[in-house]
Amino acid sequence: MKEGTFELPGNCRLTSDYDVLQWDVREGCEVRQILDRIADKWSLLVIALLDKRTMRFAELLRSIKGVSKRMLTTTLRQLERDGIVERTVYPTVPPKVEYNLTPLGNSLHETVKALVIWTEANQVKIAEARDRYETRQSEGL
Amino acid sequence: MKEGTFELPGNCRLTSDYDVLQWDVREGCEVRQILDRIADKWSLLVIALLDKRTMRFAELLRSIKGVSKRMLTTTLRQLERDGIVERTVYPTVPPKVEYNLTPLGNSLHETVKALVIWTEANQVKIAEARDRYETRQSEGL
DNA sequence: CAGTATCCCTTTAGATACTG
DNA sequence: CAGTATCTAAAGGGATACTG
């Protein structure tokens, strides 16, 4: 294996050496999957809402403007599968299903919050960088 | 505006109140865009590589197994636009183009690293949650 | 070397209708 | 209420060929 080349190992667990990041952010890896979960269209919104309190399906559906039943279901199932969200079914008629964050979910929310705060702190720099980029483009250079 | 409902404001700058997160993670917003950048297929790999040293286009292309010219170019342009990566062209024949992280890019990498480390620390819990989920599924419950 | 342009296949996700 | 099933439009991304 060439030095510095990304290969595709079957096992992509992270080790304690951060530098291994470069081998482990690809498809199918833990980091990749968590990142995909965090960055997808609705997950973060769901996590942010559930961080405050337990909510029911229809309540989430109403709270997150623009989400469809299908996507909310998909999002919640993925979060449940990863142990971020807990799903509680009350076998009543009509059915009642509650969602809440697990301790793991709360912990993830804390970490993600740091990234959101970074973005908040740097949004002006990013906006300025974009302006400079656009200016350079329109100057044809 | 109903309590707890996500609306779609034209201006989606973040304020210093973190709770505003819930209003500001949607399409077109700063957080959304940075998150998309971080979670996309190649960006993080590029950032991780450039955090170590300046690299040329072909060098990145060889280092990131599976990336195409088209996607590497797209990824680098987006990172450049956001002020994460700096692109330096040497007008020689043949051309030489170098890429390196900006201070903003280094700072982003530090923050993302925290998330990667969280994933690393919790990957066993996530894997266990998945096993439990699969087990429950196959038990038909 | 460092791209751009084009084609095309795959995945994603919205809309709609149906169900226990 | 809390979903599932199906269809389809749009986006993502790989392969290939071409260019300054």
Side-chain angles (χ1 to χ4, degrees):
Chain A
M1 181 167 77
K2 269 182 237 147
E3 198 70 20
T5 305
F6 292 110
E7 292 293 336
L8 287 158
N11 180 345
C12 47
R13 279 269 142 75
L14 282 174
T15 76
S16 59
D17 179 5
Y18 173 75
D19 283 344
V20 178
L21 161 67
Q22 56 183 250
W23 315 105
D24 288 313
V25 187
R26 287 139 310 168
E27 211 172 342
C29 300
E30 304 286 343
V31 177
R32 175 86 277 152
Q33 290 183 25
I34 291 301
L35 243 34
D36 287 348
R37 193 74 61 258
I38 290 163
D40 86 31
K41 209 169 174 184
W42 309 111
S43 290
L44 196 50
L45 256 19
V46 169
I47 293 173
L49 280 171
L50 293 182
D51 188 60
K52 304 193 194 311
R53 62 181 178 87
T54 292
M55 292 178 81
R56 296 180 59 177
F57 185 84
E59 203 177 357
L60 284 165
L61 195 65
R62 278 192 308 272
S63 299
I64 302 173
K65 190 148 193 169
V67 76
S68 64
K69 278 185 172 186
R70 200 177 75 84
M71 287 318 295
L72 183 57
T73 302
T74 304
T75 301
L76 287 167
R77 287 295 177 281
Q78 287 174 337
L79 292 172
E80 188 195 359
R81 182 178 123 92
D82 286 351
I84 307 298
V85 154
E86 187 185 18
R87 178 169 176 267
T88 312
V89 182
Y90 298 91
T92 56
V93 180
K96 174 179 169 179
V97 180
E98 284 189 348
Y99 292 92
N100 62 277
L101 285 196
T102 62
L104 189 65
N106 278 288
S107 155
L108 175 59
H109 186 234
E110 285 304 310
T111 308
V112 167
K113 214 183 272 191
L115 193 57
V116 173
I117 288 169
W118 181 91
T119 307
E120 175 182 15
N122 290 281
Q123 61 183 325
V124 173
K125 286 183 183 176
I126 295 167
E128 286 171 355
R130 281 184 194 155
D131 287 346
R132 281 197 302 277
Y133 187 84
E134 301 306 334
T135 303
R136 264 177 285 150
Q137 294 313 98
S138 60
E139 280 172 353
L141 183 60
Chain B
M1 182 164 73
K2 271 183 236 148
E3 198 70 17
T5 305
F6 291 110
E7 293 292 336
L8 286 159
N11 180 345
C12 49
R13 278 267 142 77
L14 283 172
T15 76
S16 58
D17 180 4
Y18 172 74
D19 284 342
V20 179
L21 162 65
Q22 55 184 249
W23 315 104
D24 287 314
V25 186
R26 288 139 310 165
E27 210 172 339
C29 300
E30 305 286 342
V31 177
R32 175 83 280 150
Q33 290 183 25
I34 291 300
L35 244 35
D36 288 349
R37 194 72 63 256
I38 290 162
D40 86 32
K41 208 170 175 183
W42 309 110
S43 290
L44 197 51
L45 256 18
V46 169
I47 292 173
L49 279 171
L50 293 182
D51 188 61
K52 303 194 194 312
R53 61 180 178 86
T54 292
M55 291 178 80
R56 297 181 59 178
F57 184 85
E59 204 177 358
L60 284 165
L61 196 66
R62 279 192 306 274
S63 300
I64 303 173
K65 190 147 192 169
V67 76
S68 63
K69 277 185 172 186
R70 199 177 76 84
M71 287 316 296
L72 183 57
T73 302
T74 304
T75 302
L76 287 167
R77 287 297 177 280
Q78 288 174 336
L79 292 172
E80 188 195 358
R81 181 179 123 91
D82 286 351
I84 307 299
V85 154
E86 186 184 21
R87 177 170 176 267
T88 311
V89 182
Y90 298 92
T92 56
V93 180
K96 174 179 170 178
V97 180
E98 283 189 347
Y99 292 92
N100 61 278
L101 285 194
T102 62
L104 189 65
N106 277 290
S107 156
L108 175 60
H109 185 234
E110 286 303 311
T111 308
V112 167
K113 213 184 274 191
L115 194 58
V116 173
I117 288 168
W118 180 92
T119 307
E120 174 182 19
N122 292 280
Q123 60 182 326
V124 173
K125 287 183 184 176
I126 296 169
E128 285 171 355
R130 280 184 195 158
D131 287 347
R132 281 197 303 276
Y133 186 85
E134 301 306 332
T135 303
R136 264 177 287 151
Q137 293 313 96
S138 58
E139 278 171 357
L141 184 58

